[in-house]
Amino acid sequence: MRIISMVNLKGGVGKTTTAINMGAVLAHDYGKRVLLVDNDIQANITRKFDLFNYEKPSMEQIYQHDDINVGDVVCRCGTGGCVLDVIPSNPNMDAAITELMKDEKRQQYNVLQNALQQIWDDYDFCIIDNPPGIGMNVINALACTHDIIIPIKMDKYAMDGMQDLVEFCTDIAEFNEDLRSVRGLVTMFYNITEIVAGEMVLKRSDYDIYDTHIRYSKKADVFSFSECESLLKFSPRSSACIDYRRFVKEYLGLLPEDNGEGF
């Protein structure tokens, strides 16, 4: 299984949308077994797949109990050729993370890694959707991640915090010898002078940036209100959906020949 983390210090940059649609393209177009992990107390992926429930097992229990059966937490979602499995979340995860940080007897940064080891051979890819900032839940994600993707909305503040974030993601290699890449992905791209110039500056910088960008699409905005699990079902001809397919093709092309399954 190859693990991908969506990370940015800022909110509203397209982390959740990218996680869902990257997973959907991998499953639908490439036949990959994909697990989505909702590592955010806002639980946007959980809500999107209509899994929000305080009573059922979720990320809260994973951070609370080392002996939990992770298979009991995974939910099967989607239909046909676009089946995605999801580990849901809810706001109670925040209290679980706080308790984890107080527990000096536990190895705090590899709880998620140990949990995913139980189902390692069940999936080709695991995509972790993380909240803005760097909390213990995000550190847990980065400690077991192969590829960090930083969705970047091109605006006046796009570069704010990038240096600190990239440096932190690189430093995480101290805890994660399997970390392979840290790359930015431009999202919500407009073909206007300021955005085009900003993207050019970003790609000429020292940061690794995917060649593909995700164009802004009204369909992508409306998608969050729909009952469809992904843009592939909601609006396959939208510019954003076309770009997510191009992005996944680029991502896979950068992987080793085994597409990471040998990790």
Side-chain angles (χ1 to χ4, degrees), residues 12-190:
V13 296
K15 292 189 298 293
T16 299
T17 300
T18 299
I20 291 174
N21 288 289
M22 183 180 190
V25 172
L26 284 168
H28 182 271
D29 292 3
Y30 297 92
K32 300 299 183 181
R33 302 167 299 168
V34 179
L35 173 68
L36 299 179
V37 175
D38 194 341
N39 202 31
D40 189 348
I41 63 170
Q42 295 183 63
N44 289 331
I45 283 182
T46 301
R47 297 177 193 275
K48 181 61 180 173
F49 287 90
D50 197 25
L51 297 173
F52 193 87
N53 192 317
Y54 282 104
E55 304 300 323
K56 294 184 178 180
S58 68
M59 289 295 292
E60 174 192 4
Q61 284 71 38
I62 287 178
Y63 283 119
Q64 280 180 333
H65 308 294
D66 290 333
D67 59 350
I68 188 170
N69 184 345
V70 177
D72 293 338
V73 187
V74 175
C75 301
R76 177 61 53 89
C77 301
T79 57
C82 194
V83 174
L84 297 170
D85 284 2
V86 177
I87 294 182
S89 181
N90 63 57
N92 285 347
M93 187 182 74
D94 195 32
I97 291 293
T98 300
E99 289 302 313
L100 173 63
M101 293 173 66
K102 293 178 180 178
D103 190 348
E104 298 179 357
K105 296 180 180 180
R106 298 177 70 190
Q107 190 73 269
Q108 298 177 354
Y109 67 85
N110 65 355
V111 174
L112 181 56
Q113 180 180 32
N114 291 339
L116 293 176
Q117 286 289 342
Q118 295 184 30
I119 52 175
W120 194 268
D121 294 330
D122 296 339
Y123 299 97
D124 301 309
F125 292 93
C126 170
I127 303 176
I128 306 175
D129 186 34
N130 292 291
I134 303 292
M136 183 55 67
N137 51 333
V138 178
I139 292 174
N140 264 264
L142 299 185
C144 63
T145 289
H146 298 111
D147 303 305
I148 296 172
I149 296 175
I150 305 174
I152 304 168
K153 180 183 178 183
M154 292 306 308
D155 57 24
K156 180 180 178 181
Y157 310 104
M159 300 293 284
D160 289 358
M162 274 293 293
Q163 183 65 35
D164 291 339
L165 179 58
V166 171
E167 287 181 358
F168 179 84
C169 291
T170 303
D171 289 344
I172 206 71
E174 177 182 348
F175 306 100
N176 177 8
E177 62 182 15
D178 289 329
L179 180 62
R180 293 294 180 264
S181 68
V182 180
R183 287 193 179 92
L185 172 68
V186 174
T187 60
M188 306 180 202
F189 177 86
Y190 280 97

